[in-house]
DNA sequence: CGGCTTTGACCAGCGC
DNA sequence: GCGCTGGTCAAAGCCG
């Protein structure tokens, strides 16, 4: 199965098994049994916990898990190693919450320290002081998408790209453009299925989504994330963007269309199902 | 002109 | 110790 392979790949990448984090249960199960309470949800990992998570506003303010319940009927998936992911743009997705520092406080580098580090780096390019690079909470998910960089409501600056071993697709590195926000994300395509995009978030946002609500747009072009330009591709996005609720008017009509589909269960889900089935193991679908 | 991407180089960690 | 690989830096260039 494609998706499972992807998840396993992510496990390797993250250096931990998802079962280490979510023994016997996936986030789906949290939603089913815990009344939607996630111990450490995606939203927290993204640092939007106190923002009325726009991410899922599109889902009639449903909790992520609820969205999942509708979309994937996770309660019947039992111990499938899947969990929900942010509704990424253009896509159906499979995610894996992960953190190498589940028990760690998110690293909040003092501004002064950070400045010092940058200064020294500029001057001497000294050794990096971060002995353990990946100490931030991380969250990875797979997305079926033609677009590499998925809209999630935040603005990102690409700071690097590397060819990845065993993959013909490069990995891109993005950093949140907001000063003092240390969130990073990596984006790469699955080499087993080029249509799948693996996005890994690292760290927590310390600020609200920069994308303003439509009502405050006034044209909105100015707040349109830079990469919208990149998304002008002949492909059609298949799911709503990760708007984090403050949906920007600049998001193209196609996305709104999908948004509506996503919000209305029933036939709309069936439509999405066509995409999801590319992602969801067939046996999961049979269980429904 | 500011903000962003591109891309080659550099650095650190890790395995052999 | 050496080489490989992933992650980051920063100059150059692009674009609205």
């Amino acid at each position: 199965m494609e998706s499972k392979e992807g998840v396993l790949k992510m496990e390797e990448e993250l250096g931990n098994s998802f079962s280490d984090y979510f023994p016997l249960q996936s986030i789906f199960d949290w939603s089913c049994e815990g009344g939607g309470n996630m111990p450490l949800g995606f939203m927290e990992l993204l640092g939007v916990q106190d923002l009325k998570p726009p991410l899922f506003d599109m889902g009639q303010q449903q909790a992520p898990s609820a969205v999942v319940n509708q979309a994937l009927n996770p309660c019947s998936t039992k111990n499938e190693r899947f969990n929900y992911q942010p509704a990424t743009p253009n896509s159906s997705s499979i995610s894996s919450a992960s953190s190498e520092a589940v028990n760690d406080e998110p690293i909040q580098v003092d501004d002064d320290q950070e400045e010092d580090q940058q200064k020294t780096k500029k001057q001497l390019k000294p050794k990096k002081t971060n002995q353990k690079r990946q100490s931030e909470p991380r969250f990875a998910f797979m997305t079926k998408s033609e677009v590499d960089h998925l809209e999630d409501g935040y603005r990102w600056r690409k700071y690097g790209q590397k060819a990845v071993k065993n993959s013909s697709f490069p990995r891109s590195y993005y950093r949140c453009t907001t000063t003092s926000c240390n969130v990073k994300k990596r984006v790469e395509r699955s080499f087993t299925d080029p249509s799948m995009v693996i996005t890994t978030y690292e760290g927590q946002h310390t600020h609200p989504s920069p994308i303003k609500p439509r009502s405050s747009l006034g044209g909105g072009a100015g707040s349109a994330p830079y990469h919208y330009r990149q998304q002008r591709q002949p492909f059609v996005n298949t799911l709503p963007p990760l708007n984090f609720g403050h949906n920007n008017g600049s998001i193209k009509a196609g996305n709104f269309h999908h948004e509506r589909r996503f919000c209305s269960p029933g036939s709309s889900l069936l439509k999405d199902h066509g995409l999801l089935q590319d992602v969801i193991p067939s046996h999961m679908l049979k269980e429904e």
Side-chain angles (χ1 to χ4, degrees):
Chain A
M1 273 311 148
E2 204 75 54
S3 52
K4 195 159 189 174
E5 287 176 8
V7 173
L8 292 176
K9 178 179 184 300
M10 282 188 280
E11 286 181 357
E12 292 173 11
E13 185 180 57
L14 295 172
N16 283 309
S17 166
F18 290 123
S19 56
D20 290 343
Y21 304 123
F22 316 116
L24 303 178
Q25 290 184 324
S26 70
I27 287 178
F28 287 160
D29 295 313
W30 303 343
S31 65
C32 296
E33 299 173 6
N37 294 328
M38 294 184 187
L40 176 59
F42 168 76
M43 301 314 295
E44 280 109 65
L45 289 174
L46 286 185
V48 294
Q49 62 275 17
D50 50 353
L51 309 177
K52 183 107 187 181
L55 172 59
F56 296 101
D57 275 3
M58 63 208 179
Q60 299 168 347
Q61 295 187 347
Q62 288 174 320
S65 54
V67 175
V68 173
N69 282 342
Q70 284 191 350
L72 303 178
N73 191 17
C75 292
S76 64
T77 61
K78 300 186 178 175
N79 292 336
E80 279 297 327
R81 286 167 136 187
F82 295 117
N83 58 51
Y84 189 60
Q85 52 289 304
T88 47
N90 21 350
S91 56
S92 50
S93 36
I94 294 175
S95 80
S96 63
S98 175
S99 166
E100 292 189 353
V102 172
N103 296 324
D104 294 348
E105 289 293 322
I107 293 178
Q108 296 291 337
V109 179
D110 198 353
D111 282 348
D112 292 339
Q113 286 180 337
E114 200 171 322
E115 282 181 15
D116 285 345
Q117 277 189 8
Q118 289 180 352
K119 281 179 186 176
T120 40
K121 270 184 187 176
K122 284 178 183 175
Q123 291 172 1
L124 300 175
K125 277 197 175 183
K127 291 180 184 177
K128 290 174 184 171
T129 53
N130 296 338
Q131 292 205 335
K132 198 174 182 181
R133 252 179 205 163
Q134 296 157 350
S135 56
E136 299 274 355
R138 293 208 287 172
F139 182 95
F141 60 92
M142 290 181 69
T143 302
K144 190 173 185 69
S145 171
E146 305 291 348
V147 181
D148 285 342
H149 189 191
L150 305 171
E151 174 52 37
D152 59 7
Y154 289 88
R155 302 184 66 196
W156 301 91
R157 168 182 292 185
K158 187 176 185 177
Y159 67 88
Q161 179 173 306
K162 284 284 287 189
V164 182
K165 188 187 177 187
N166 293 330
S167 174
S168 53
F169 302 99
R171 173 183 296 158
S172 297
Y173 300 90
Y174 297 88
R175 179 175 294 153
C176 184
T177 58
T178 303
T179 53
S180 80
C181 181
N182 294 325
V183 179
K184 296 170 192 171
K185 78 174 179 182
R186 294 194 300 252
V187 177
E188 64 185 293
R189 285 197 176 273
S190 168
F191 69 95
T192 56
D193 183 357
S195 66
M196 299 298 291
V197 176
I198 301 171
T199 305
T200 305
Y201 288 89
E202 185 174 329
Q204 297 185 26
H205 288 285
T206 60
H207 58 93
S209 167
I211 294 191
K212 298 184 172 71
R214 260 174 280 176
S215 58
S216 63
L217 274 181
S223 58
Y226 179 79
H227 63 267
Y228 285 153
R229 277 184 266 149
Q230 295 183 314
Q231 295 184 345
R232 288 181 204 144
Q233 298 180 13
F235 305 108
V236 177
N237 293 342
T238 56
L239 277 182
L242 253 186
N243 295 326
F244 286 72
H246 303 298
N247 203 342
N248 190 313
S250 66
I251 293 173
K252 303 304 178 272
N255 285 335
F256 286 127
H257 171 66
H258 295 304
E259 181 173 337
R260 279 189 280 113
R261 283 171 46 192
F262 197 73
C263 291
S264 67
S267 60
S268 62
L269 279 178
L270 289 176
K271 289 179 182 178
D272 280 334
H273 202 120
L275 282 162
L276 289 172
Q277 66 189 11
D278 292 339
V279 178
I280 303 171
S282 57
H283 69 270
M284 286 177 62
L285 299 176
K286 289 177 183 175
E287 286 177 3
E288 290 183 5

